[in-house]
């Protein structure tokens, strides 16, 4: 953060808006681990994914239980958020599985024993 603030201040002194300069450093710098707020892939219910026109999405979804969720990360930039917490019922325990070398991420509910 100190480095980013220093670089943003230097850029801003050259006539650039400080907020914009800091944001560009935070989200666009080489090696940044911060994701831009718009870099989000919404997970889809597996029941919906099974009827996808995308054959690969439908194929992967066919291997998952009905109450699972699937995120297609093929076009996602790094880093990207997959907000499974928005779709998984509160208090449920899930397991995560990657498919096709991480191009897809699934969250499946762990059944109560």
């Amino acid at each position: 953060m100190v480095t980013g603030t220093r670089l943003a201040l230097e850029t801003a002194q050259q006539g650039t808006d400080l907020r914009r300069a800091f944001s560009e450093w935070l989200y666009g710098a080489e090696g940044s681990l911060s994701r831009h707020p718009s870099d989000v892939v919404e997970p889809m219910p597996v029941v919906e994914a099974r009827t996808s026109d995308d054959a690969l999405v439908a194929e992967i979804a066919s291997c998952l239980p009905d109450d699972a969720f699937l995120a297609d990360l093929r076009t996602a930039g790094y880093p990207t958020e997959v907000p499974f917490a928005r779709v998984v019922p509160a208090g449920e325990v899930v397991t995560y599985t990657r498919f096709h070398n991480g191009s897809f991420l699934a969250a499946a509910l762990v059944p109560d024993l």
Side-chain angles (χ1 to χ4, degrees):
M1 288 302 236
V2 171
T3 300
T5 303
R6 181 180 50 76
L7 292 171
L9 284 169
E10 288 172 6
T11 302
Q13 289 173 356
Q14 299 169 9
T16 304
D17 175 42
L18 178 59
R19 181 182 302 165
R20 181 176 174 196
F22 185 76
S23 180
E24 287 175 1
W25 169 81
L26 183 63
Y27 300 122
E30 184 70 29
S32 175
L33 296 179
S34 297
R35 67 165 188 81
H36 192 277
S38 65
D39 291 337
V40 176
V41 172
E42 294 292 336
M44 65 184 98
V46 162
V47 173
E48 177 185 318
R50 288 181 188 145
T51 62
S52 173
D53 291 337
D54 186 318
L56 190 53
V57 170
E59 175 189 331
I60 293 168
S62 72
C63 302
L64 294 165
D66 289 346
D67 56 2
F69 296 89
L70 183 64
D72 182 350
L73 303 173
R74 290 178 287 183
T75 61
Y78 177 82
T80 293
E81 176 186 6
V82 181
F84 284 113
R86 291 185 198 162
V87 294
V88 172
E92 292 290 341
V93 176
V94 297
T95 59
Y96 298 97
T97 307
R98 295 181 313 153
F99 294 90
H100 290 270
N101 295 321
S103 295
F104 295 88
L105 181 63
L109 277 62
V110 175
D112 294 331
L113 299 176

